[in-house]
Amino acid sequence: MLQITLLVVGRLKEDYLRAAAAEYTKRLSAFCTLQVEELEPARLPDRPGEKQIAAALEEEGRRILAKIPAGAGVFALCIEGKTLSSEAFARQLADAPLRGYSRLVFIIGGSHGLSPAVKARADWRLSMSPMTFPHQLARVMLLEQVYRAFQIGRGSAYHK
């Protein structure tokens, strides 16, 4: 069974987002072993400067990179990533074991994104949309799309 880890900076604060994430986590248990690991965001002042943001991203990046298991396929969610249809994303997941990956890691950064080092480590850079979404909502959207990908793979009517 495919092992999937979500490495996310920050916690889900809203009850409705936690409930949605829990629902998709439950649904995904039929298809994969899912682990969600939340990392504390770096502390920043209310109005951080560019250097402070860069230092925070570097700190978060070191902690993220330390959590990636050797040999895992890594998806970094970032604005400059590639947008995929649900079907194309489903093919990426289905092809991962054929590429030698039994474990996939999806990384969602905090509100300032991901460090260049994390993006460089990624095997795939993925963008949810050209629109901007709160990073907490991105987690729920990603879980739903992973679930949808498995449903597409089995030919389910869920995708329609």
Side-chain angles (χ1 to χ4, degrees):
M1 186 174 272
L2 188 63
Q3 295 180 32
I4 296 179
T5 300
L6 269 63
L7 289 177
V8 296
V9 175
R11 301 190 187 290
L12 292 179
K13 296 174 185 169
E14 305 295 336
D15 288 340
Y16 69 94
L17 292 172
R18 282 195 300 269
E23 177 62 27
Y24 286 111
T25 298
K26 181 178 83 176
R27 291 182 186 193
L28 282 165
S29 67
F31 301 100
C32 65
T33 302
L34 178 69
Q35 174 186 359
V36 178
E37 192 159 345
E38 296 175 331
L39 304 171
E40 275 304 309
R43 293 185 182 254
L44 284 169
D46 288 338
R47 294 179 179 229
E50 287 182 33
K51 287 183 181 180
Q52 291 169 310
I53 292 170
L57 288 177
E58 187 177 323
E59 176 196 329
E60 290 172 356
R62 280 193 302 271
R63 289 189 280 127
I64 288 168
L65 291 171
K67 297 281 186 180
I68 298 172
V74 177
F75 285 83
L77 274 70
C78 50
I79 196 161
E80 67 275 11
K82 184 176 182 178
T83 57
L84 298 174
S85 68
S86 294
E87 293 86 354
F89 181 61
R91 283 191 297 277
Q92 290 281 355
L93 289 187
D95 289 349
L98 301 174
R99 294 180 175 181
Y101 298 117
S102 60
R103 180 172 211 148
L104 298 177
V105 175
F106 291 87
I107 303 169
I108 301 174
S111 59
H112 293 288
L114 294 170
S115 73
V118 171
K119 292 176 191 178
R121 166 58 184 91
D123 299 292
W124 299 273
R125 291 183 187 181
L126 182 63
S127 173
M128 299 294 260
S129 167
M131 292 195 235
T132 302
F133 296 102
H135 64 277
Q136 290 188 38
L137 183 57
R139 184 188 317 190
V140 175
M141 293 169 59
L142 176 61
L143 287 168
E144 191 281 335
Q145 283 298 299
V146 171
Y147 176 70
R148 183 177 296 272
F150 283 113
Q151 292 292 349
I152 289 169
R154 69 180 249 198
S156 168
Y158 174 85
H159 176 58
K160 303 294 182 214

